[in-house]
Amino acid sequence: MNLSRIVILILFTLSTTNFAKGMKQPGIIPIPQIEEITEGNFSLIGKLNLYVPENSDLSSVIFELHKSIENNAKVSFTEIDNPDNAKIIFLLDPSIDFSDYHTANYNEAYLLDITEPRITVRARTGRALFYGAMSLVQLIEISNNNLIKCRRIIDWPDMAIRGI
């Protein structure tokens, strides 16, 4: 067996062993451009008020959020029209600045902030808001004990046309 095969075998063994021990957990696909894990957890227990802006075609976001928790009896979403009273907030913000991240795809970039009191998804366009919501859906689906680790995600596509 040559040296490169031995190195690959060792790396594979280490990575699968760490995953089995719970040292790594599945994440968002595709992997976000920037993800900073912070202290605390957001609890997915109880009735969570959800704010989605008017005049945006985000019914698919609501559908996906409901679908992601339909088998989870500990949480439900209620849509409200005041972001101040919401636990999960989606905001269209055309002024959000992603220029520091050197991407030409800033219209599809989003910011997902998960803190203990609330989750906020902000983006310049409805399409980007949808992508942020899909990341949130994935985090809900892989949540451990109905808790999502607090974090900040800033993400955008590498290419103008998204693949699979």
Side-chain angles (χ1 to χ4, degrees):
M1 192 182 282
N2 67 25
L3 183 59
S4 63
R5 287 185 182 180
I6 292 171
V7 169
I8 290 171
L9 183 60
I10 291 170
L11 290 174
F12 176 76
T13 303
L14 287 173
S15 68
T16 56
T17 302
N18 286 343
F19 183 76
K21 289 180 181 177
M23 294 176 74
K24 291 182 182 180
Q25 62 173 298
I28 299 170
I29 299 172
I31 297 169
Q33 301 285 347
I34 298 170
E35 182 174 20
E36 301 165 355
I37 306 294
T38 58
E39 291 296 316
N41 295 292
F42 179 85
S43 174
L44 288 168
I45 297 174
K47 188 162 116 177
L48 302 177
N49 290 335
L50 172 70
Y51 172 78
V52 179
E54 289 183 35
N55 303 324
S56 62
D57 185 21
L58 294 173
S59 59
S60 56
V61 169
I62 306 302
F63 174 77
E64 289 297 332
L65 285 170
H66 282 288
K67 192 171 106 180
S68 73
I69 55 108
E70 67 186 6
N71 295 325
N72 185 340
K74 293 184 179 181
V75 66
S76 64
F77 295 114
T78 301
E79 294 176 57
I80 62 171
D81 25 340
N82 182 352
D84 295 336
N85 298 325
K87 289 287 193 180
I88 301 176
I89 303 168
F90 291 90
L91 293 174
L92 284 172
D93 183 358
S95 68
I96 193 168
D97 184 15
F98 292 105
S99 61
D100 289 345
Y101 303 108
H102 309 291
T103 176
N105 300 317
Y106 60 88
N107 277 330
E108 290 190 23
Y110 66 87
L111 172 65
L112 170 59
D113 271 321
I114 301 174
T115 61
E116 286 187 34
R118 88 177 22 98
I119 295 174
T120 305
V121 183
R122 290 181 26 208
R124 295 171 60 112
T125 65
R127 185 177 199 170
L129 212 53
F130 173 80
Y131 293 128
M134 292 302 94
S135 293
L136 177 57
V137 164
Q138 290 182 64
L139 289 170
I140 290 170
E141 289 174 348
I142 63 172
S143 67
N144 188 10
N145 295 324
N146 288 354
L147 297 172
I148 299 176
K149 184 79 180 130
C150 292
R151 68 190 73 209
R152 170 175 263 206
I153 294 173
I154 303 170
D155 195 24
W156 60 88
D158 286 325
M159 297 179 223
I161 298 174
R162 290 180 182 258
I164 296 173

